[in-house]
Coordinates of all heavy atoms in Angstrom, one line a residue:
A247 N 20.4 13.7 -7.7 CA 21.6 13.4 -8.6 C 22.7 12.7 -7.8 O 23.3 11.8 -8.3 CB 22.1 14.7 -9.1
G248 N 22.9 13.1 -6.5 CA 24.0 12.5 -5.7 C 23.7 11.1 -5.4 O 24.7 10.4 -4.9
E249 N 22.5 10.6 -5.5 CA 22.2 9.2 -5.2 C 21.9 8.3 -6.4 O 21.5 7.2 -6.3 CB 20.9 9.2 -4.3 CG 21.1 9.9 -3.0 CD 19.8 10.2 -2.2 OE1 19.4 9.2 -1.6 OE2 19.3 11.3 -2.3
M250 N 22.2 8.9 -7.6 CA 22.0 8.1 -8.8 C 23.2 7.3 -9.2 O 24.4 7.8 -9.0 CB 21.6 9.0 -10.0 CG 20.2 9.7 -9.8 SD 19.7 10.6 -11.2 CE 19.4 9.3 -12.4
K251 N 23.0 6.1 -9.8 CA 24.1 5.3 -10.2 C 24.9 5.9 -11.3 O 26.1 5.9 -11.3 CB 23.6 3.9 -10.7 CG 22.9 3.1 -9.6 CD 22.3 1.9 -10.1 CE 21.5 1.1 -9.1 NZ 20.8 -0.1 -9.7
N252 N 24.2 6.5 -12.3 CA 24.8 7.1 -13.4 C 24.1 8.4 -13.8 O 23.4 8.5 -14.8 CB 24.8 6.2 -14.6 CG 25.7 6.6 -15.8 OD1 26.1 7.8 -15.8 ND2 26.0 5.7 -16.7
P253 N 24.4 9.5 -13.0 CA 23.6 10.8 -13.2 C 23.9 11.4 -14.6 O 23.0 11.9 -15.2 CB 24.1 11.7 -12.1 CG 25.4 11.1 -11.7 CD 25.3 9.6 -11.9
G254 N 25.1 11.3 -15.1 CA 25.4 11.9 -16.4 C 24.5 11.3 -17.5 O 24.1 12.0 -18.4
K255 N 24.2 10.0 -17.4 CA 23.4 9.3 -18.5 C 21.9 9.3 -18.1 O 21.1 9.6 -19.0 CB 23.9 7.9 -18.6 CG 23.2 7.1 -19.6 CD 23.7 5.7 -19.7 CE 22.9 4.8 -20.7 NZ 23.4 3.4 -20.7
D256 N 21.6 9.0 -16.9 CA 20.2 8.8 -16.5 C 19.5 10.0 -16.1 O 18.2 10.1 -16.3 CB 20.2 7.7 -15.4 CG 20.6 6.3 -15.8 OD1 20.5 6.1 -17.0 OD2 20.9 5.5 -14.9
L257 N 20.1 11.0 -15.5 CA 19.4 12.2 -15.0 C 18.7 12.9 -16.2 O 17.5 13.2 -16.0 CB 20.3 13.1 -14.3 CG 19.7 14.3 -13.6 CD1 18.6 13.9 -12.6 CD2 20.7 15.2 -12.9
P258 N 19.4 13.3 -17.3 CA 18.7 14.0 -18.3 C 17.5 13.1 -18.9 O 16.5 13.7 -19.3 CB 19.8 14.2 -19.4 CG 20.9 13.3 -19.1 CD 20.8 13.1 -17.6
K259 N 17.7 11.8 -19.0 CA 16.7 11.0 -19.5 C 15.5 11.0 -18.6 O 14.3 11.0 -19.0 CB 17.2 9.5 -19.8 CG 18.1 9.4 -20.9 CD 18.3 7.9 -21.3 CE 18.9 7.1 -20.2 NZ 19.1 5.7 -20.7
A260 N 15.8 10.9 -17.3 CA 14.7 10.9 -16.3 C 13.9 12.2 -16.3 O 12.7 12.3 -16.2 CB 15.3 10.7 -14.9
I261 N 14.6 13.4 -16.5 CA 14.0 14.7 -16.5 C 13.1 14.8 -17.7 O 11.9 15.2 -17.7 CB 15.0 15.8 -16.4 CG1 15.7 15.8 -15.1 CG2 14.4 17.2 -16.7 CD1 16.9 16.8 -15.0
V262 N 13.7 14.6 -18.9 CA 13.0 14.7 -20.2 C 11.8 13.7 -20.2 O 10.7 14.0 -20.5 CB 13.9 14.5 -21.4 CG1 13.1 14.5 -22.7 CG2 15.0 15.6 -21.4
G263 N 12.1 12.4 -19.8 CA 11.1 11.4 -19.9 C 10.0 11.7 -18.9 O 8.8 11.6 -19.2
G264 N 10.4 12.0 -17.6 CA 9.4 12.2 -16.6 C 8.5 13.4 -16.8 O 7.3 13.4 -16.8
L265 N 9.1 14.6 -17.2 CA 8.4 15.8 -17.5 C 7.5 15.6 -18.8 O 6.5 16.2 -18.9 CB 9.3 17.0 -17.5 CG 9.9 17.4 -16.2 CD1 10.9 18.6 -16.4 CD2 8.8 17.8 -15.2
S266 N 8.0 14.8 -19.7 CA 7.3 14.6 -20.9 C 6.0 13.8 -20.6 O 4.9 14.0 -21.2 CB 8.1 13.9 -22.0 OG 9.2 14.6 -22.4
I267 N 6.2 12.8 -19.7 CA 5.0 12.0 -19.3 C 4.0 12.9 -18.6 O 2.8 12.9 -18.9 CB 5.4 10.9 -18.3 CG1 6.2 9.8 -19.1 CG2 4.2 10.3 -17.6 CD1 6.9 8.8 -18.2
V268 N 4.5 13.8 -17.7 CA 3.6 14.7 -17.0 C 2.9 15.7 -18.0 O 1.7 15.9 -17.9 CB 4.4 15.6 -16.0 CG1 3.5 16.7 -15.4 CG2 4.9 14.7 -14.9
M269 N 3.6 16.2 -19.0 CA 3.1 17.1 -20.0 C 2.0 16.3 -20.8 O 0.9 16.9 -21.0 CB 4.1 17.6 -20.9 CG 3.6 18.6 -21.9 SD 4.9 19.6 -22.7 CE 5.7 18.3 -23.7
L270 N 2.3 15.1 -21.2 CA 1.3 14.3 -21.9 C 0.0 14.1 -21.1 O -1.1 14.2 -21.6 CB 1.9 13.0 -22.3 CG 1.0 12.0 -23.1 CD1 0.6 12.6 -24.4 CD2 1.7 10.7 -23.3
V271 N 0.2 13.7 -19.8 CA -0.9 13.5 -19.0 C -1.8 14.8 -18.8 O -3.0 14.8 -18.9 CB -0.5 13.0 -17.6 CG1 -1.6 13.1 -16.6 CG2 0.1 11.6 -17.6
Y272 N -1.1 15.9 -18.7 CA -1.8 17.2 -18.5 C -2.6 17.6 -19.8 O -3.7 18.1 -19.8 CB -0.8 18.3 -18.2 CG -0.3 18.3 -16.8 CD1 -0.7 17.3 -15.8 CD2 0.6 19.3 -16.3 CE1 -0.3 17.4 -14.5 CE2 1.0 19.3 -15.0 CZ 0.6 18.3 -14.1 OH 1.0 18.3 -12.8
I273 N -2.0 17.3 -20.9 CA -2.6 17.6 -22.2 C -3.8 16.7 -22.4 O -4.9 17.1 -22.8 CB -1.6 17.5 -23.4 CG1 -0.6 18.6 -23.3 CG2 -2.4 17.6 -24.7 CD1 0.6 18.4 -24.3
L274 N -3.6 15.4 -22.2 CA -4.7 14.4 -22.3 C -5.9 14.7 -21.4 O -7.1 14.7 -21.9 CB -4.2 13.0 -22.1 CG -3.3 12.4 -23.1 CD1 -2.8 11.0 -22.7 CD2 -4.0 12.3 -24.5
I275 N -5.6 15.1 -20.1 CA -6.7 15.3 -19.2 C -7.5 16.6 -19.6 O -8.7 16.7 -19.4 CB -6.3 15.3 -17.8 CG1 -7.5 15.1 -16.9 CG2 -5.5 16.5 -17.4 CD1 -7.2 14.8 -15.4
N276 N -6.7 17.6 -20.1 CA -7.4 18.8 -20.5 C -8.2 18.6 -21.8 O -9.3 19.3 -22.0 CB -6.3 19.9 -20.7 CG -6.0 20.6 -19.4 OD1 -6.7 21.6 -19.0 ND2 -5.0 20.2 -18.7
I277 N -7.8 17.7 -22.7 CA -8.6 17.4 -23.8 C -9.9 16.7 -23.3 O -11.0 17.0 -23.8 CB -7.8 16.5 -24.8 CG1 -6.7 17.3 -25.5 CG2 -8.8 16.0 -25.9 CD1 -5.8 16.5 -26.3
A278 N -9.7 15.8 -22.4 CA -10.8 15.0 -21.8 C -11.8 16.0 -21.1 O -13.0 15.9 -21.3 CB -10.4 14.0 -20.8
Y279 N -11.3 17.0 -20.4 CA -12.1 18.0 -19.8 C -13.0 18.7 -20.9 O -14.2 18.9 -20.8 CB -11.3 19.1 -19.2 CG -10.6 18.8 -17.9 CD1 -9.4 19.5 -17.5 CD2 -11.0 17.8 -17.1 CE1 -8.8 19.2 -16.3 CE2 -10.3 17.4 -15.9 CZ -9.2 18.2 -15.5 OH -8.6 17.9 -14.3
L280 N -12.3 19.1 -22.0 CA -13.0 19.9 -23.0 C -14.0 19.1 -23.8 O -14.9 19.6 -24.4 CB -11.9 20.5 -24.0 CG -11.0 21.6 -23.4 CD1 -9.9 21.9 -24.3 CD2 -11.8 22.9 -23.2
W281 N -13.7 17.8 -23.9 CA -14.7 16.9 -24.6 C -15.9 16.6 -23.7 O -16.9 16.2 -24.2 CB -14.0 15.6 -24.9 CG -13.1 15.7 -26.2 CD1 -12.8 16.8 -26.8 CD2 -12.5 14.6 -26.9 NE1 -12.0 16.6 -27.9 CE2 -11.8 15.2 -28.0 CE3 -12.5 13.2 -26.7 CZ2 -11.1 14.4 -28.9 CZ3 -11.7 12.5 -27.6 CH2 -11.1 13.1 -28.7
V282 N -15.9 16.9 -22.5 CA -17.0 16.7 -21.6 C -17.7 18.0 -21.2 O -18.9 18.1 -21.2 CB -16.6 16.0 -20.3 CG1 -17.7 15.9 -19.3 CG2 -16.0 14.6 -20.6
A283 N -16.9 19.1 -21.0 CA -17.5 20.4 -20.7 C -16.7 21.4 -21.5 O -15.5 21.4 -21.5 CB -17.3 20.7 -19.2
P284 N -17.4 22.3 -22.2 CA -16.8 23.4 -23.0 C -15.9 24.3 -22.1 O -16.2 24.4 -20.9 CB -17.9 24.1 -23.7 CG -19.1 23.8 -22.9 CD -18.9 22.5 -22.3
A285 N -15.0 25.0 -22.8 CA -14.0 25.8 -22.0 C -14.7 27.0 -21.3 O -14.3 27.4 -20.2 CB -13.0 26.4 -23.0
N286 N -15.9 27.5 -21.9 CA -16.5 28.6 -21.2 C -17.2 28.1 -19.9 O -17.5 28.9 -19.0 CB -17.6 29.2 -22.1 CG -18.6 28.3 -22.6 OD1 -18.5 27.1 -22.5 ND2 -19.7 28.8 -23.2
E287 N -17.5 26.8 -19.8 CA -18.0 26.3 -18.5 C -16.9 26.0 -17.5 O -17.0 26.3 -16.3 CB -18.8 25.0 -18.7 CG -20.2 25.3 -19.5 CD -21.0 24.0 -19.5 OE1 -20.8 23.1 -18.6 OE2 -21.8 23.9 -20.4
L288 N -15.8 25.5 -18.0 CA -14.6 25.3 -17.1 C -14.1 26.6 -16.6 O -13.6 26.6 -15.5 CB -13.5 24.6 -17.9 CG -13.8 23.2 -18.5 CD1 -12.7 22.7 -19.4 CD2 -14.1 22.2 -17.4
A289 N -14.3 27.7 -17.3 CA -13.8 29.0 -16.9 C -14.5 29.5 -15.6 O -13.9 30.4 -14.9 CB -13.9 30.0 -18.0
V290 N -15.7 29.0 -15.3 CA -16.4 29.5 -14.2 C -16.6 28.4 -13.1 O -17.3 28.7 -12.1 CB -17.8 30.1 -14.6 CG1 -17.6 31.3 -15.5 CG2 -18.6 29.0 -15.3
A291 N -16.0 27.3 -13.3 CA -16.2 26.2 -12.3 C -15.1 26.3 -11.2 O -14.0 26.5 -11.5 CB -16.0 24.8 -13.0
V292 N -15.6 26.1 -10.0 CA -14.6 26.1 -8.8 C -13.7 24.9 -9.0 O -12.5 25.1 -8.8 CB -15.4 26.0 -7.5 CG1 -14.4 25.8 -6.3 CG2 -16.2 27.2 -7.3
S293 N -14.2 23.8 -9.4 CA -13.4 22.6 -9.6 C -13.7 22.0 -11.0 O -14.7 21.3 -11.2 CB -13.6 21.6 -8.6 OG -13.0 20.3 -8.9
P294 N -12.9 22.4 -12.0 CA -13.2 21.8 -13.4 C -13.2 20.3 -13.4 O -14.1 19.7 -14.0 CB -12.0 22.4 -14.2 CG -11.6 23.6 -13.5 CD -11.8 23.3 -12.0
A295 N -12.3 19.7 -12.6 CA -12.2 18.2 -12.6 C -13.4 17.7 -11.9 O -14.0 16.6 -12.4 CB -11.0 17.8 -11.8
G296 N -13.9 18.3 -10.9 CA -15.2 17.9 -10.2 C -16.4 18.0 -11.1 O -17.2 17.1 -11.1
L297 N -16.5 19.1 -11.9 CA -17.6 19.3 -12.8 C -17.6 18.1 -13.8 O -18.6 17.5 -14.1 CB -17.4 20.6 -13.5 CG -18.3 20.9 -14.7 CD1 -19.8 21.0 -14.3 CD2 -17.9 22.2 -15.4
V298 N -16.4 17.9 -14.4 CA -16.3 16.8 -15.4 C -16.6 15.4 -14.9 O -17.3 14.6 -15.5 CB -14.9 16.8 -16.1 CG1 -14.6 15.6 -17.0 CG2 -14.7 18.1 -16.9
A299 N -16.1 15.2 -13.7 CA -16.3 13.9 -13.0 C -17.8 13.6 -12.8 O -18.3 12.5 -13.0 CB -15.5 13.8 -11.7

Side-chain angles (χ1 to χ4, degrees):
E249 299 166 81
M250 292 185 68
K251 297 175 184 177
N252 190 347
K255 179 182 176 182
D256 291 341
L257 185 59
K259 290 196 297 183
I261 292 171
V262 173
L265 291 176
S266 295
I267 291 170
V268 172
M269 183 168 69
L270 179 63
V271 168
Y272 284 1
I273 292 169
L274 288 176
I275 197 169
N276 274 274
I277 293 173
Y279 289 158
L280 291 168
W281 282 9
V282 176
N286 60 345
E287 290 188 23
L288 296 174
V290 295
V292 172
S293 171
L297 170 67
V298 170

